[in-house]
Amino acid sequence: MLGKGVVGGGGGTKAPKPSFVSYVRPEEIHANEKEVTEKEVTLHLLPGEQLLCEASTVLKYVQEDSCQRGIYGKLVCTDFKIAFLGDDESALDNDEAQFKNKVIGENDITLHCVDQIYGVFDEKKKPLFGQLKKYPEKLIIHCKDLRVFHFGLRYTKEEEVKRIVSGIIHHTQAPKLLKRLFLFSYAAAAQNNTATDPKNHTVMFDTLKDWCWELERTKGNVKYKAVSVNEGYKVCVRLPAYFVVPISLPEEDVLRFQGHGIPIWCWSCHNGCALLKMSALPKEQDDGSLQIQKSFLDGVYKTIHRPPYEIVKTEDLSTNFLSLQDIQTAYSKFKQLFLIDNSTEFWDTDIKWFSLLENSSWLDIIRRCLKKAIEIAECLEAQNMNVLLLEENASDLCCLISSLVQVMMDPHCRTRVGFQSLVQKEWIMGGHCFLDRCNHLRQSDKEEHQRQLSLPLTQSKSSPKRGFFREETDHLIKNLLGKRISKLINSSDELQDNFREFYDSWHSKPTDYHGLLLPHIEGPEIKVWAQRYLRWIPEAQILGGGRVATMSKLLEMMEEVERLQEKIEERHHSQGALPAEGPSLLRSSARLSSLFPFALLQRHSSKPVLPTSGWKALGDEDDLAKREDEFVDLGDV
């Protein structure tokens, strides 16, 4: 029966305690195999990385086998990662080695990737944090990339258990100083090889030259200029040292409100229209301050809105779009579908998969983000309008929407180097608060345990509807911007009509992969990215199936056709040369799974991916035993 015998399962049926007790330690069995393991396993440390604690004779359970068996090895904790050193990595063949990460191994967990730690005490799973009075017999680590690790500590020395468990809890949950992050140790120890050619390397956007190169690449240097007014972060630490503003905007205006209320350039379209972002001005109550802000915004507004030659449309992401609270709540529900401890949990979730997925609202959030990005692309491409994104600090949803728009409209951003440069420009230099949003410094322990999420809540205690242009201050908007604001806000019906016409027109034409790309946003088209979210769940993999495996089979057939053509030509020319062999990866396509290449090739013994209740549909056991076996040719599986 699949799913039985679970240790510390979150919601599955518990198996009865085994009646057999072994009085022989595992290291006394297969001693020769252990010696071979110790010779092969080596801890690979990055420059500046230091070993903190370790424990021997740790059992890493195989998740797909309902945690009934595993691999013995050593569990170590450094100032960068948690690593398990076993002999399973030696089983990697050449096909799998080419997909191996060069920095993080298959059994490595970076400290910042740890989401939650659980301990199993007498078959009961409890969250671990702080100082422990009793140490668990089994350690379960949930990762932010949705991996789940089970480590058995029953045969580990008591002193080593205390040391490794306390070390992992401390270094993943205790508050940290910024200078104690591993990045600084690595940067000091590793050599700094700075690339010079932006075309072939990631653009870091930490110099004025980088921004000028990006302006020239997008032909935005006609209307916009790169400024160094914030060099040394003397104006605002939230803004990058160098950034781009309208060419007619005086640099003194940047100093007035410490960068707030300034349209900052993100990207320029081929027709000259630009995507910009702006952080809201401070909220003021007295009429004098409001009048000052009004005159300031009037001057700024004239630099990007000069009809009929140049028109701007505003998108207020703080009030008319998603809130960070909505995103966090939805993802918190969504990720629980993939943090599976055992087979029983998987099948319990599988029965109500679609209802749980719908209740999480995560796919609806994805759809709304894509729809907003397409609306902005329509304004830039079809209506020839500048688009100004408004947000409280212009460092959360502005980064997301701006990145999506550029990926859809700029083919350079869809290349590896271009995408890395995009992340550097919009997220790193765009001022996204990674330390706060991901809680890397663990400054709020109590709040972190309540959320159990890598995307924390916003720091503000105010209502999610915040920013300068708030719904509850419509009269203030009219007083500040007068009649001009009405020109920027179109009716919802008009927007919907323009969007639908633009969207349908693009999808009715042949796709140009070197031009504009628009995703499908209809309900059935928004699907879970299985290769991303299901890659760690063995039961979800289809051995020998999936699109990649199908494509591999087609390539094998093409190779066979080519070999037959070669044989015909050889006979025609009386040549006896042997045909060249095809790549081994294609010949072993039966071992590919539906999640390849994001999930490694299936190496462990696979049990039938069928829930326990599914066996009843096959008929009675006696009837099943009388049936003749069916012959299935699995090739070289």
Side-chain angles (χ1 to χ4, degrees):
M1 300 291 283
L2 189 62
K4 297 294 183 181
V6 179
V7 179
T13 306
K14 293 184 178 179
K17 292 185 177 180
S19 58
F20 174 77
V21 179
S22 174
Y23 296 95
V24 183
R25 293 176 61 85
E27 59 267 23
E28 299 176 22
I29 305 175
H30 307 301
N32 294 333
E33 295 180 4
K34 185 181 176 183
E35 291 177 2
V36 174
T37 300
E38 291 178 351
K39 293 180 181 179
E40 293 180 352
V41 175
T42 304
L43 175 61
H44 299 284
L45 298 176
L46 294 175
E49 186 177 3
Q50 296 179 356
L51 177 64
L52 300 177
C53 53
E54 59 183 316
S56 303
T57 325
V58 175
L59 178 63
K60 176 182 174 288
Y61 289 100
V62 178
Q63 183 180 351
E64 70 175 276
D65 205 27
S66 299
C67 299
Q68 287 297 305
R69 63 187 179 91
I71 301 166
Y72 276 97
K74 181 184 293 184
L75 186 63
V76 302
C77 180
T78 72
D79 56 349
F80 172 60
K81 65 177 180 287
I82 302 167
F84 177 79
L85 308 178
D87 61 348
D88 57 336
E89 291 190 359
S90 62
L92 292 175
D93 54 26
N94 294 331
D95 296 340
E96 296 173 83
Q98 60 180 317
F99 299 103
K100 185 178 179 181
N101 192 297
K102 296 181 179 180
V103 178
I104 305 298
E106 182 181 356
N107 295 321
D108 293 348
I109 313 168
T110 60
L111 299 181
H112 290 154
C113 189
V114 175
D115 188 21
Q116 190 73 4
I117 302 175
Y118 297 93
V120 176
F121 304 86
D122 298 327
E123 300 186 12
K124 294 181 180 180
K125 188 175 76 172
K126 300 179 180 179
L128 301 180
F129 49 88
Q131 188 68 30
L132 299 180
K133 296 181 179 180
K134 182 181 179 182
Y135 291 86
E137 59 188 31
K138 184 177 179 183
L139 195 65
I140 302 176
I141 300 179
H142 287 187
C143 303
K144 293 177 182 177
D145 61 359
L146 307 181
R147 289 182 295 172
V148 178
F149 287 88
H150 296 250
F151 298 109
L153 306 173
R154 180 173 297 178
Y155 301 105
T156 309
K157 295 180 181 179
E158 184 178 354
E159 298 79 9
E160 294 184 354
V161 172
K162 294 180 180 179
R163 192 181 304 117
I164 192 67
V165 173
S166 299
I168 290 176
I169 293 175
H170 173 75
H171 292 288
T172 57
Q173 297 181 359
K176 294 182 178 65
L177 296 175
L178 179 62
K179 63 181 181 180
R180 296 297 183 188
L181 294 179
F182 172 71
L183 173 64
F184 295 96
S185 301
Y186 176 79
Q191 295 182 356
N192 184 18
N193 297 323
T194 304
T196 56
D197 187 4
K199 295 182 180 179
N200 303 322
H201 298 87
T202 302
V203 183
M204 303 306 293
F205 294 99
D206 55 357
T207 64
L208 202 63
K209 182 180 178 181
D210 290 345
W211 287 101
C212 293
W213 181 86
E214 181 73 358
L215 277 173
E216 184 178 354
R217 185 187 70 83
T218 60
K219 304 297 187 293
N221 50 359
V222 177
K223 300 179 181 179
Y224 299 90
K225 62 180 179 181
V227 296
S228 58
V229 65
N230 195 38
E231 192 171 20
Y233 301 96
K234 55 188 177 183
V235 176
C236 178
V237 296
R238 179 184 52 82
L239 292 174
Y242 311 96
F243 52 92
V244 176
V245 296
I247 202 168
S248 58
L249 181 74
E251 294 188 15
E252 295 78 15
D253 288 352
V254 181
L255 307 176
R256 292 192 60 181
F257 295 98
Q258 295 183 335
H260 289 272
I262 298 296
I264 297 178
W265 177 86
C266 297
W267 180 77
S268 287
C269 187
H270 61 87
N271 56 15
C273 297
L275 178 63
L276 306 107
K277 62 183 178 181
M278 177 190 290
S279 56
L281 286 173
K283 303 176 181 64
E284 299 290 347
Q285 300 297 331
D286 59 286
D287 295 338
S289 299
L290 290 176
Q291 188 63 33
I292 294 175
Q293 290 185 353
K294 176 184 178 302
S295 59
F296 174 77
L297 287 177
D298 282 343
V300 169
Y301 181 74
K302 293 177 181 179
T303 63
I304 55 177
H305 183 73
R306 290 171 291 188
Y309 308 104
E310 200 169 13
I311 302 175
V312 67
K313 177 181 182 297
T314 60
E315 288 285 352
D316 189 354
L317 302 179
S318 293
T319 60
N320 301 327
F321 197 49
L322 299 166
S323 68
L324 298 184
Q325 176 80 49
D326 296 335
I327 297 175
Q328 179 219 340
T329 302
Y331 185 72
S332 180
K333 296 178 181 178
F334 178 72
K335 72 171 186 175
Q336 296 304 321
L337 300 176
F338 309 98
L339 293 172
I340 305 297
D341 281 345
N342 49 65
S343 298
T344 305
E345 279 193 25
F346 174 80
W347 293 119
D348 288 345
T349 304
D350 186 67
I351 295 174
K352 45 189 176 181
W353 166 262
F354 289 106
S355 60
L356 293 174
L357 185 62
E358 177 69 20
N359 292 335
S360 71
S361 302
W362 181 250
L363 295 186
D364 182 62
I365 287 178
I366 299 298
R367 184 192 63 81
R368 291 180 63 183
C369 291
L370 293 175
K371 186 174 185 293
K372 179 63 67 175
I374 296 176
E375 290 176 355
I376 294 173
E378 187 267 336
C379 292
L380 294 168
E381 179 78 15
Q383 299 188 30
N384 295 328
M385 298 172 61
N386 294 331
V387 178
L388 178 64
L389 304 177
L390 298 174
E391 195 180 10
E392 184 177 5
N393 290 315
S395 59
D396 287 307
L397 294 173
C398 279
C399 302
L400 173 64
I401 300 301
S402 176
S403 298
L404 287 175
V405 171
Q406 293 178 61
V407 168
M408 293 178 187
M409 303 189 69
D410 192 343
H412 173 71
C413 296
R414 299 193 289 265
T415 64
R416 180 180 62 84
V417 173
F419 185 77
Q420 291 173 342
S421 301
L422 174 66
V423 172
Q424 179 70 19
K425 179 179 69 171
E426 295 298 333
W427 294 86
I428 310 300
M429 291 302 169
H432 183 68
C433 304
F434 287 98
L435 288 178
D436 296 331
R437 296 292 180 260
C438 300
N439 201 18
H440 285 323
L441 300 181
R442 305 284 180 175
Q443 296 297 326
S444 52
D445 260 353
K446 185 180 298 184
E447 194 174 353
E448 176 69 6
H449 290 136
Q450 291 174 351
R451 291 194 301 264
Q452 300 180 13
L453 187 63
S454 59
L455 178 65
L457 291 169
T458 177
Q459 293 179 337
S460 174
K461 296 182 180 179
S462 60
S463 168
K465 294 183 178 181
R466 57 189 181 278
F468 186 74
F469 303 104
R470 296 183 299 173
E471 291 181 357
E472 60 268 28
T473 56
D474 287 339
H475 64 283
L476 179 60
I477 297 175
K478 295 177 182 178
N479 290 335
L480 288 177
L481 298 182
K483 296 181 180 180
R484 290 190 179 93
I485 194 68
S486 61
K487 299 179 181 179
L488 308 181
I489 303 178
N490 299 323
S491 64
S492 58
D493 294 338
E494 182 181 353
L495 283 175
Q496 188 66 27
D497 293 341
N498 294 336
F499 167 81
R500 178 51 59 180
E501 181 181 357
F502 175 74
Y503 178 81
D504 293 339
S505 173
W506 186 89
H507 281 287
S508 64
K509 301 176 182 177
T511 303
D512 179 14
Y513 292 101
H514 298 284
L516 176 68
L517 289 182
L518 298 183
H520 287 279
I521 59 172
E522 290 82 5
E525 299 296 337
I526 305 296
K527 304 175 182 178
V528 173
W529 186 9
Q531 290 175 304
R532 164 67 177 87
Y533 293 105
L534 296 172
R535 54 180 168 169
W536 310 121
I537 304 177
E539 291 82 3
Q541 299 189 27
I542 305 174
L543 187 60
R547 295 182 179 179
V548 178
T550 303
M551 180 60 66
S552 181
K553 278 294 183 183
L554 292 176
L555 293 176
E556 287 182 12
M557 295 176 61
M558 293 173 60
E559 286 185 352
E560 185 176 356
V561 171
E562 290 179 359
R563 286 196 294 268
L564 291 174
Q565 289 177 344
E566 290 178 359
K567 287 183 178 180
I568 294 175
E569 293 177 358
E570 288 171 5
R571 289 184 179 181
H572 183 71
H573 296 90
S574 300
Q575 295 179 354
L578 294 175
E581 292 187 358
S584 61
L585 178 61
L586 299 180
R587 295 201 311 273
S588 61
S589 62
R591 294 184 61 220
L592 301 181
S593 76
S594 57
L595 306 185
F596 183 85
F598 293 89
L600 291 178
L601 303 181
Q602 191 67 267
R603 296 195 304 274
H604 307 295
S605 61
S606 295
K607 292 188 175 182
V609 284
L610 189 67
T612 305
S613 57
W615 292 108
K616 299 179 181 179
L618 298 177
D620 214 20
E621 291 184 4
D622 296 335
D623 180 59
L624 186 64
K626 295 177 182 178
R627 299 181 187 178
E628 293 184 1
D629 294 337
E630 297 180 358
F631 175 75
V632 180
D633 185 8
L634 296 180
D636 298 327
V637 178

